[in-house]
Amino acid sequence: MRPWFLETVAADGSRVNHAITKLPFRIGRDAHCDLVIEARGLSRQHAEFTQEAGEQLLLSDLGSTNGTWVHRERIAAPRWVGERTILHFGNAEFRLGLETQTMLASREAGEDGSRTMLVPTGGRLLSEKFVEGQEAFEDFLARGEGLGCAVQPIVRADGGAVFAYELLGRCEHPRLRQPPGRLFDIAGKLGRRGELSTLFRNHGVRAVAGRLGGARLFVNTDGDETEHEAFFESLQALRALPGAPELVIEIHESARSLEKLRPLAQRLGAMGIAFAIDDFGHDEGVDHLSILGEVPPQYVKFDMGLVRGIDQAAEPRRRLVRSLVRLVRDLDAVALAEGVETEAEAAACRDMGFELLQGYLTGRPVPASALPPAAPA
C-alpha cells in the first residue's frame, strides 16, 4: 500500500499528518476508529477509505449526520480521491497527501498518532484551512507557466477613437485554468495578492510594449503592494523598456484612504505617472467624494453598476450619475464609463458628459498577441 496520509491543523495551529497504514481505514469519534477525531459534528462512525487503485483511494460516507465532503461538495456515493484532495468529515477539515515518508507528530496525538483535537469553528460553515489549487498556484507564481495577458480598448466617447487599453491578466497553467478573479481569491487566502498583481503587470507591459500605437495603458494594482519600494522600482523598470507605453495606474480600493492615497499620488506624480480611481460608485465608492477633492486623480472609472442600463434608469439615478460626472470634470479629471454594452447606454453616457467609454460595445478583450507586432528597434 502506498504511503497515504491525512493532513490537518491542530488546536495550536500546527500541521499534523496522520498516516493511513491499512485499508479499510475508518474515521469518526468512536474509540475503535483508525482515526479518532474529537470534533463537534462528527458521527461515531463517520467515513471510511476502503480501496486503493493507483494514485487514488475510495472514500465512503457511513451514513453520517453532517456528511462527508470532497472539495466542499457533499458526497452521496463512494468517491475516488487523490493527492491534495480537500476533505471534510462534518466540519473537520483534512487534505489527503501521498509522500515517501509521513510525519506523525502532534501535541494532541496519542502515541499511535490516531487521535487529534480540532479547533471548533462554530456554526455550520465548512472550515477552510487548506486552499484548493494552492500547489498549482504557487507553481504558477514561481515559474510563470501559462502566464498570459489581454487588452481591452478604452475609446473616446466622441468619435470612438482608441485612447488607451486596459491590461488584463490571463492564466493557462495546465493545472490552474482559472479566470483572474478566481486566481485572486486563491491569492487572497494565501496572502499573495500583491505578488499575483505584480506578475500580471510586469508580464503584460512587456508583452504589449511597442504594440499600442501610442495609446496609454491602464494597469491594475492590488492590496498593499503600492506601499512597498519594490512597486515603484518595478514601474521604473517597465517605463525603461523599449516602446514602453504611457502607464496609468488603477488604484485598488484598499489604497483609497487619505493616509495611503496622498503619498502614493505624490510619488506617482514625481515619476510623471497618472493614476485612476477604479470602480467608482461600487459599494463605498460614492463615500470617497471627499478623497477626490483632497487627492484629485487624473481619471475616474465609474463602476459598471452605475453605467449598466443607464439609458432606462429612473430619473433620480440619472441625475446622480450626471452630477458625479460633473464633479469629476470640475476636478479636472477624466470621467470614464465602464461596462458599456449598448448604443443606447453609450448615447446616455455621452449626454451625461463622460469623455471615455469601455465595454463590450466598444471592444472586447483580445490577446496581446493579436496586436500588431512591435516595430524593430
Side-chain angles (χ1 to χ4, degrees), residues 142-217:
R143 300 195 299 126
E145 181 181 358
L147 180 61
C149 65
V151 292
Q152 184 176 28
I154 296 170
V155 307
R156 295 187 182 276
D158 185 10
V162 174
F163 173 81
Y165 292 89
E166 180 177 357
L167 182 66
L168 306 168
R170 294 291 185 264
C171 174
E172 292 296 330
H173 189 282
R175 293 189 289 122
L176 198 69
R177 297 181 184 275
Q178 303 278 4
R182 171 60 182 149
L183 290 181
F184 276 100
D185 288 342
I186 295 174
K189 294 171 184 176
L190 298 173
R192 306 187 71 175
R193 289 180 65 101
E195 291 178 64
L196 180 61
S197 177
T198 300
L199 181 70
F200 278 140
R201 183 173 56 251
N202 288 348
H203 171 78
V205 174
R206 287 176 167 83
V208 304
R211 291 172 172 253
L212 301 185
R216 295 165 177 82
L217 184 66

Side-chain angles (χ1 to χ4, degrees), residues 11 23 41 66 68 79 127 137-138 146 184 191 224 230 244 247 255 283 318 320-322 346 376:
L23 292 176
N66 294 313
T68 299
R79 178 82 63 88
S127 60
F137 176 80
E138 291 176 344
F184 276 100
D224 63 355
L247 298 179
D283 293 337
R318 292 169 65 90
L320 170 64
V321 175
R322 189 187 300 274

Side-chain angles (χ1 to χ4, degrees), residues 85-328:
T85 301
I86 297 173
L87 305 172
H88 283 81
F89 307 113
N91 195 45
E93 184 176 11
F94 292 82
R95 182 166 57 185
L96 186 61
L98 177 61
E99 294 185 6
T100 56
Q101 295 181 346
T102 57
M103 299 176 62
L104 303 174
S106 170
R107 294 180 184 175
E108 284 73 34
E111 292 182 359
D112 63 353
S114 64
R115 184 179 298 270
T116 186
M117 173 71 74
L118 300 182
V119 180
T121 61
R124 295 181 175 272
L125 295 178
L126 295 180
S127 60
E128 193 166 4
K129 300 181 180 70
F130 299 107
V131 179
E132 185 176 352
Q134 177 177 346
E135 290 81 4
F137 176 80
E138 291 176 344
D139 179 67
F140 175 66
L141 281 187
R143 300 195 299 126
E145 181 181 358
L147 180 61
C149 65
V151 292
Q152 184 176 28
I154 296 170
V155 307
R156 295 187 182 276
D158 185 10
V162 174
F163 173 81
Y165 292 89
E166 180 177 357
L167 182 66
L168 306 168
R170 294 291 185 264
C171 174
E172 292 296 330
H173 189 282
R175 293 189 289 122
L176 198 69
R177 297 181 184 275
Q178 303 278 4
R182 171 60 182 149
L183 290 181
F184 276 100
D185 288 342
I186 295 174
K189 294 171 184 176
L190 298 173
R192 306 187 71 175
R193 289 180 65 101
E195 291 178 64
L196 180 61
S197 177
T198 300
L199 181 70
F200 278 140
R201 183 173 56 251
N202 288 348
H203 171 78
V205 174
R206 287 176 167 83
V208 304
R211 291 172 172 253
L212 301 185
R216 295 165 177 82
L217 184 66
F218 282 63
V219 296
N220 289 282
T221 61
D222 195 278
D224 63 355
E225 62 171 329
T226 56
E227 300 179 42
H228 301 289
E229 187 63 27
F231 170 73
F232 300 101
E233 293 174 354
S234 70
L235 293 184
Q236 290 284 29
L238 293 176
R239 297 180 75 204
L241 294 172
E246 181 179 339
L247 298 179
V248 178
I249 304 300
E250 297 191 14
I251 303 301
H252 186 264
E253 61 183 354
S254 64
R256 282 186 288 197
S257 66
L258 280 176
E259 293 77 13
K260 292 184 177 182
L261 189 55
R262 182 176 284 119
L264 174 59
Q266 291 173 347
R267 188 71 181 272
L268 292 175
M271 297 171 66
I273 299 177
F275 77 95
I277 296 296
D278 193 18
D279 296 330
F280 182 68
H282 174 72
D283 293 337
E284 297 180 325
V286 178
D287 295 334
H288 290 118
L289 293 178
S290 60
I291 293 178
L292 296 184
E294 293 287 338
V295 191
Q298 285 75 41
Y299 302 90
V300 177
K301 301 186 72 174
F302 280 64
D303 185 74
M304 63 180 63
L306 286 178
V307 174
R308 292 274 174 85
I310 191 63
D311 56 304
Q312 301 176 13
E315 187 56 30
R317 177 182 162 196
R318 292 169 65 90
R319 285 200 303 269
L320 170 64
V321 175
R322 189 187 300 274
S323 65
L324 290 173
V325 171
R326 186 181 304 115
L327 171 64
V328 167

